[in-house]
Every structure is written in C-alpha cells, then in structure tokens.
Amino acid sequence: MRYHRFFSCEESMITFKQIDALYWIAELGSFEAAANKLNMSQSAISKRIQELEETFDVEIFDRSKRNARLTEKGSELLDYARDLLERRDYLLERVSAREVLVRRFRLGVTELTALTWLPALVEAIRQAYPKVQIEPSVELSSELFRKLENDQLDLIIVPDVYDDARFVSTPLQSVENAWMCAPGLIGDPDPVSLDVLAGFTVLTQGSQSGTGLVYERWLASHDVQLPKTLTSHNLLVQVGLTLSGVGVSYLPKACLSHLIDSGALRALVTTPGLPRIRYAVLYRSDRQLGLNQNVAQLAVSHCDFSTLLL
C-alpha cells in the first residue's frame, strides 16, 4: 500500500483535522493564516502539527525559519496528505447527495468573468451544492492553467487557447472585442486601418493573458508591428487608461456599451476586424466525474459576458 509507511501506526490515530492543518499551513505559508482559514486558534493548529510530529517521530516544519517551511520529511508527508484529502473529497462526492456534500471547490476565472457573470455562477453552485465551500481565484489565464496543471485548482474558465488532452474542455460563449480609444484621439473616420493604429500607443494585455496571446498571434499573422505598447494585466486599469486618452486598446464591446453609447469611448471600425475570443471551462481529465462535470454545465447555462457588474 502506498500509505503504509506513514499510516500504519496502530498506537496512534491520524485524523483529517491534523491533515487539513498540515495542508493549509503549507498552502498559506503560516500557522496564523491556516488558523484563520480553519476558524481556529493558532495554538490549536500548532497542537495538531505537534500530534503529527509525535506520531511519526519526525519534525514536519523547520522552526528555525521565520516562515512555515517544511522539512524534507514534512514535504514527503504533505504529498501523502494531499492524496488523502483528494480521495476523501472524491469519496464524499461520489456517495453524498448534492444537498449534503461537504467539500471545497477551487474555482479559477479571469477578470472578465469575475466582472460579469461570476456571481451568478457562484449562486448556482450554492443552490445545487449548499454545503460546498467555494474558493474562487481571479488571475491571468496562464497562471490559472498552471495551477490547474498542478492540481491547485479544480476547474478554470479561460479563453479557449489550451489544446491539451490532459484536460476536458467545455465550450462557452465567445466575446466580441473592438479597438477603442478616447474620442478625439484618432481623427481618421471609420474604417481605420491597422497601420494607423500602430502609430499610437497600444494598450495590451500581454501574452500571459489568453486574450492577449490570441491578439498577439493575430497581429503577427497580419504583419502588424506595434512600436509603442503598454502592457496591463488588469482589465479595469486598461479601461481607465483608454478612457484617459493614453492610447488605443482592444476591449470587450458588449459590457462596455454604456461607455460607447455615452460617448466616453469610441469603438473603432477596423479593417480587418478583431476575431472573437472563445471561452471554455477546463478541468483535469482524471477528475471527470461528479462536481467538475456538473459545474461545467452550470457555467454553460449562466455564461453571460454582456453586462459589467460595476
């Protein structure tokens, strides 16, 4: 058995509370943060780690360091602990009814989803699984994909740029983007050529963003060079800089229609126009059953990029 080395101690009982404590200290980097996460005192979480250390007669954390740093044996134990927690969650998910399923669900989304339909999705998950603890993460597509790869997230919603057999992909809606600028920045009438845009500062999202990566490749395919660019990884900052007249940017058209209609932004008609950005739900192919599959279908039902929450 894989766990025999660590979990064959007849004289001691290893509890999931101890395993949870170990996992969250390692995940969050400190005893204090883990205690806050688990709604318990720091002394109580320290006691759980002390019990584990006494059971195995090893030091799990190097107490000579300022931060909670695992020892070599502690790192080995953490690997087993992660497996145990995953198997526990899988067992509960397979056996429990939706209404009583208790587990955490790590959901990763990009900023556009967070600013449009994430609350509707979270509410739908809560209605279907009232006791599931949702842990959302809002980051760039590349970081979300890395965390999904490393099993640090259960499911992500990102631009559909990852073609990888290790993951199940469920298509969602596509987003129409347009080149936008402050009124008066560009005097040319529509349609505006890409060469004209290249003469201005172009605000981009960079290749760490799924949208940014798609448009970098698209511009390269049209032999368009952008000598003056300013990269922002924050969509609201990108909108703010565009409103301020700093430069031209590609922005989602539907959810910013109020700014276009009010005259605060000019949506340029360009030749050629920008391709739409397709979104998808991704989760690991070795986690296909149960919650991931059901949340993916909830995402299909609630996906709506048309309205900005702010």
Side-chain angles (χ1 to χ4, degrees):
M1 287 290 291
R2 183 172 182 219
Y3 303 109
H4 177 77
R5 181 175 178 185
F6 275 121
F7 297 100
S8 61
C9 307
E10 295 181 2
E11 70 278 6
S12 301
M13 178 67 70
I14 308 304
T15 69
F16 277 114
K17 289 182 178 180
Q18 295 166 346
I19 298 301
D20 276 325
L22 169 61
Y23 173 83
W24 283 111
I25 294 168
E27 185 78 5
L28 299 177
S30 73
F31 281 67
E32 181 182 6
N36 291 335
K37 174 71 179 179
L38 297 172
N39 296 313
M40 58 191 302
S41 67
Q42 195 167 333
S43 60
I45 206 167
S46 296
K47 186 173 184 296
R48 290 182 181 176
I49 298 303
Q50 184 180 355
E51 290 168 350
L52 280 176
E53 291 180 324
E54 290 174 354
T55 296
F56 298 122
D57 195 24
V58 297
E59 189 177 58
I60 295 175
F61 287 97
D62 184 351
R63 287 163 174 77
S64 68
K65 306 297 182 182
R66 185 179 182 86
N67 296 325
R69 184 173 298 179
L70 289 164
T71 62
E72 184 177 346
K73 284 292 183 183
S75 295
E76 187 178 355
L77 179 57
L78 178 62
D79 288 338
Y80 288 103
R82 284 198 180 101
D83 279 350
L84 281 171
L85 293 176
E86 287 169 8
R87 289 170 184 265
R88 176 195 65 181
D89 290 347
Y90 180 75
L91 172 64
L92 292 173
E93 185 179 329
R94 297 300 297 159
V95 175
S96 300
R98 288 187 178 191
E99 294 75 16
V100 298
L101 175 63
V102 178
R103 60 159 289 187
R104 60 198 180 95
F105 186 73
R106 303 163 299 172
L107 171 65
V109 301
T110 57
E111 193 178 6
L112 181 59
T113 297
L115 291 172
T116 50
W117 58 281
L118 178 61
L121 176 60
V122 168
E123 180 59 26
I125 298 172
R126 284 177 175 157
Q127 289 292 330
Y129 300 94
K131 294 190 176 182
V132 166
Q133 180 183 354
I134 303 168
E135 298 174 2
S137 178
V138 182
E139 297 179 83
L140 292 169
S141 301
S142 58
E143 181 64 9
L144 293 175
F145 186 75
R146 183 191 68 79
K147 288 187 173 182
L148 184 65
E149 236 181 350
N150 295 335
D151 212 15
Q152 295 173 288
L153 290 172
D154 297 303
L155 179 148
I156 63 174
I157 297 170
V158 292
D160 191 10
V161 296
Y162 301 104
D163 184 14
D164 193 319
R166 295 174 299 165
F167 305 95
V168 177
S169 177
T170 303
L172 297 173
Q173 294 177 7
S174 62
V175 174
E176 180 185 5
N177 289 284
W179 292 104
M180 298 190 196
C181 66
L185 181 67
I186 297 178
D188 298 54
D190 291 328
V192 178
S193 71
L194 297 180
D195 288 337
V196 169
L197 293 185
F200 293 84
T201 298
V202 177
L203 309 172
T204 73
Q205 295 179 17
S207 58
Q208 299 303 303
S209 155
T211 297
L213 179 62
V214 170
Y215 288 153
E216 278 190 8
R217 292 171 176 172
W218 180 79
L219 287 165
S221 71
H222 287 83
D223 296 321
V224 176
Q225 302 294 322
L226 301 177
K228 295 180 289 184
T229 61
L230 186 60
T231 300
S232 171
H233 297 318
N234 185 300
L235 178 61
L236 290 181
V237 170
Q238 194 176 0
V239 173
L241 292 173
T242 308
L243 286 166
S244 302
V246 173
V248 186
S249 185
Y250 44 77
L251 295 170
K253 195 172 180 180
C255 67
L256 296 180
S257 59
H258 61 292
L259 295 176
I260 298 169
D261 295 341
S262 68
L265 284 174
R266 177 188 173 190
L268 302 167
V269 177
T270 58
T271 51
L274 287 167
R276 298 178 73 97
I277 301 295
R278 295 178 296 128
Y279 274 73
V281 175
L282 292 182
Y283 53 90
R284 290 167 56 116
S285 57
D286 57 355
R287 306 280 194 280
Q288 288 195 49
L289 299 176
L291 193 54
N292 282 343
Q293 192 176 67
N294 293 337
V295 171
Q297 291 309 308
L298 289 174
V300 171
S301 301
H302 290 83
C303 181
D304 181 6
F305 292 104
S306 64
T307 304
L308 199 65
L309 297 175
L310 300 178

